[in-house]
Amino acid sequence: MNDMSPSEAVRAEQGEAAGREALPGPEWQRLHPATLLIAVLAIGPRLINFLPAIAALGFTGNWQYIVPALLAFLLLSLLAAWFHWLRFRFAVGSDEVVIESGVLARQHRTIPFDRIQDVSIEQGLLARALGIAKVGFETGASASDDGAQLDAIALESAEALRATIRAHRSSAGTASTAAEGAALSDADEQQADDRLLFAMTPRQLVVAGLFNFSLAALAVFGAATQLFDNVLPFDFNVFNPFDWFDLADQYGLDDWLFAHRWMAGVGALLSLLLIGFASGVALMIFANWDFRLTREPRGLRRTRGLTTRTDVALPIRRIQAAIIVTGWFRRRFGWHELRVQSLASDGGKEADHQIIPFARFDAIDPVLGEIGIARPASDTAWQKSHVIVALPGLIGALVALGGGGIALALGHMPGWFAIAAALLIALLALFGARFYRWADLGDRVAIRRGFSKPRLTLLPDASVQSIDLKTDFILRPMGLATLVFGVPGASSLGAHDIPAIPRPVAEALRQRILAGGEKI
């Protein structure tokens, strides 16, 4: 051990401090200045929260304070946006991203590249016009965690940042593989190249939109025409047959149209269909314009959107299940939709990731092959759930029947409508019970459900974390049980379960999946 005098120790400490000061610090950056413009435009919707205060000033007769109050609100909002922009900064190091934010309470966050699963890029209509983008870091944390994102940076910087992080992860993975003495084969290197798996042309978008008939848009359009009836420059409601009579009267066709009343109903119906089909096409084009699904070394990448352009990565190892959805009419033409349940987040906007919006099986099967979840063969032996699954619908029919009977007993003839509805509900419940089917495919379970909107869920055994076997006072005496599969990640289509199957079969299936054995 070397002894140093106090003066030498002081000089040594000063030298170390000087060396630390000489080390280069992070190169801090700010968000794009266009962030302030977006903040200004966002003030408009927030004015709605300020309307009660303005109304209160008007009701109390203090009209002279309304304009100053609005100006004060706008000034405070602008100052808050400016302080937020000024106090937000980030730095990109050699192996990490550092973010500091907060006006009063400062937050310092470090995100190592190794913890970032992928980088998503999103552009709204205004952002695309300004050449900026929102960057989100997928770390596997909560989807509601806004701290792992940059709201507005230049698009070129966003793409460069994503390329830097992906290159770092790829080099880290290659170094790890080399340390273990393994090397990529030529086939593996070819597989690492990005490949286009699926894309949608404008013609496909129009066809998909026609099958995506939107009743919600009809309701919005009808409500808008009623709400703004006194504001619109015309007084005509396409949903009202009497307006068609008035239109015919203007052209001297009232007598003919009165003799052919059904024409007014046809005109209203055609208007409904036109708006429904047009809205379906518009929604499909806005959501899926220039849809592209590519295969990358670590997974799938989906880009789409006309007004809001999204770029989402789906690592293969984080995909938990595949879900094929269609409709009773769409299925007649062979069109389906493919979704995957994944641990990767999409900004909290999607529970399931739609990776093929509209295609036939010849385009869906190759994508399923990429994620390692194949569809059942055509000769698969499907097993059915017990007809007791129709019990909730039968109970509803019984309630309607009782209500109709009481109405008739009180002398109300509309009770016959309730009785007819009860019969229809019972028939639909019994008919729908036929479509509860499942199949054990050895390494995965296939679950089919639904008639009006058929759904096929492909659930790999490796994705199942738990299986609950449930019985109740109805199923237990019948020797039946329901299996509920616990799978990581949320699904907007509900839980994965197989209801009302023989209990010995349910126990054997649960044991096989949890033990990883052969199919039953």
Side-chain angles (χ1 to χ4, degrees):
M1 181 175 180
N2 297 327
D3 296 331
M4 290 191 304
S5 64
S7 60
E8 292 175 342
V10 170
R11 285 195 296 271
E13 292 179 358
Q14 291 176 348
E16 293 177 358
R20 287 193 299 268
E21 293 176 357
L23 292 175
E27 184 179 348
W28 293 104
Q29 305 178 53
R30 299 196 187 279
L31 297 177
H32 197 280
T35 308
L36 297 175
L37 175 59
I38 297 176
V40 170
L41 296 178
I43 294 177
R46 289 202 298 268
L47 279 174
I48 299 177
N49 299 325
F50 196 62
L51 288 180
I54 296 177
L57 292 175
F59 290 146
T60 56
N62 297 313
W63 298 96
Q64 67 275 17
Y65 296 113
I66 292 181
V67 174
L70 284 174
L71 293 177
F73 175 80
L74 294 175
L75 179 60
L76 291 176
S77 299
L78 290 175
L79 288 176
W82 183 73
F83 273 115
H84 176 76
W85 176 82
L86 189 64
R87 298 287 288 169
F88 187 101
R89 64 179 186 171
F90 68 97
V92 180
S94 60
D95 58 356
E96 64 184 11
V97 177
V98 183
I99 300 175
E100 287 189 355
S101 61
V103 177
L104 299 178
R106 297 291 289 170
Q107 179 182 3
H108 181 96
R109 180 165 189 172
T110 301
I111 310 174
F113 287 172
D114 294 335
R115 298 291 180 88
I116 299 176
Q117 302 294 333
D118 204 86
V119 181
S120 63
I121 299 177
E122 179 178 332
Q123 284 186 288
L125 184 61
L126 180 59
R128 295 177 69 180
L130 297 174
I132 60 178
K134 177 190 292 185
V135 178
F137 302 104
E138 171 57 46
T139 61
S142 172
S144 61
D145 187 4
D146 294 335
Q149 70 179 27
L150 304 176
D151 287 336
I153 64 175
L155 179 60
E156 296 80 5
S157 301
E159 294 174 344
L161 177 58
R162 182 175 65 183
T164 300
I165 295 176
R166 291 179 61 187
H168 176 86
R169 291 182 57 84
S170 299
S171 62
T174 303
S176 176
T177 304
E180 295 174 359
L184 288 173
S185 63
D186 294 340
D188 293 333
E189 292 178 356
Q190 184 177 3
Q191 179 70 18
D193 295 336
D194 294 352
R195 293 180 291 109
L196 180 64
L197 297 180
F198 180 77
M200 293 193 72
T201 64
R203 178 180 177 275
Q204 288 175 303
L205 290 173
V206 173
V207 174
L210 293 176
F211 281 91
N212 194 34
F213 185 88
S214 178
L215 293 177
L218 289 176
V220 172
F221 183 83
T225 55
Q226 293 294 331
L227 181 62
F228 301 104
D229 182 61
N230 296 327
V231 180
L232 295 175
F234 55 87
D235 185 14
F236 183 80
N237 188 346
V238 295
F239 305 123
N240 189 353
F242 292 102
D243 285 352
W244 289 90
F245 281 108
D246 295 338
L247 181 63
D249 185 33
Q250 296 178 11
Y251 292 93
L253 300 176
D254 51 333
D255 293 335
W256 180 86
L257 187 59
F258 185 78
H260 302 79
R261 300 179 184 87
W262 57 274
M263 289 295 296
V266 170
L269 179 61
L270 290 178
S271 299
L272 292 174
L273 294 176
L274 177 62
I275 295 173
F277 283 123
S279 59
V281 172
L283 291 174
M284 183 62 65
I285 290 177
F286 279 117
N288 295 300
W289 180 260
D290 194 21
F291 186 101
R292 295 175 64 85
L293 181 71
T294 56
R295 178 66 162 95
E296 298 184 344
R298 291 182 176 273
L300 306 178
R301 179 169 297 280
R302 184 200 69 192
T303 56
R304 65 174 180 178
L306 180 61
T307 56
T308 300
R309 188 76 179 166
T310 58
D311 186 337
V312 178
L314 297 171
I316 295 294
R317 61 186 179 84
R318 307 193 77 186
I319 293 178
Q320 304 297 310
I323 306 171
I324 300 176
V325 184
T326 185
W328 68 272
F329 184 70
R330 184 186 305 183
R331 183 175 57 178
R332 300 296 186 273
F333 296 86
W335 297 109
H336 300 80
E337 170 192 349
L338 176 60
R339 294 175 172 266
V340 292
Q341 181 176 336
S342 172
L343 294 176
S345 68
D346 190 14
K349 297 178 181 179
E350 281 188 284
D352 301 311
H353 292 266
Q354 185 186 60
I355 59 175
I356 294 185
F358 191 79
R360 292 190 168 94
F361 281 135
D362 58 352
I364 292 177
D365 287 339
V367 177
L368 289 174
E370 293 290 340
I371 64 179
I373 307 177
R375 276 193 310 119
S378 57
D379 58 350
T380 299
W382 293 91
Q383 303 187 51
K384 296 182 179 181
S385 295
H386 195 276
V387 72
I388 196 65
V389 295
L391 183 60
L394 296 177
I395 294 176
L398 186 61
V399 171
L401 181 64
I406 294 175
L408 290 176
L410 296 176
H412 299 290
M413 298 306 294
W416 289 108
F417 291 102
I419 294 177
L423 179 61
L424 180 60
I425 294 172
L427 291 176
L428 290 177
L430 293 173
F431 181 72
R434 301 173 52 194
F435 298 92
Y436 283 74
R437 302 186 180 186
W438 66 279
D440 182 12
L441 305 178
D443 61 344
R444 62 198 185 284
V445 176
I447 305 173
R448 293 173 58 180
R449 188 75 54 83
F451 166 72
S452 61
K453 193 172 184 179
R455 181 174 81 243
L456 171 63
T457 302
L458 302 174
L459 194 60
D461 294 351
S463 301
V464 179
Q465 301 297 315
S466 64
I467 304 179
D468 296 336
L469 189 147
K470 296 184 177 181
T471 61
D472 53 31
F473 66 95
I474 297 176
L475 299 179
R476 192 178 302 110
M478 303 175 67
L480 302 175
T482 295
L483 288 181
V484 180
F485 300 94
V487 181
S491 173
S492 61
L493 300 176
H496 305 303
D497 63 347
I498 303 178
I501 61 176
R503 178 159 185 164
V505 176
E507 292 176 345
L509 179 60
R510 180 175 68 167
Q511 182 178 2
R512 184 201 68 75
I513 294 176
L514 296 179
E518 298 295 331
K519 72 176 184 178
I520 60 176

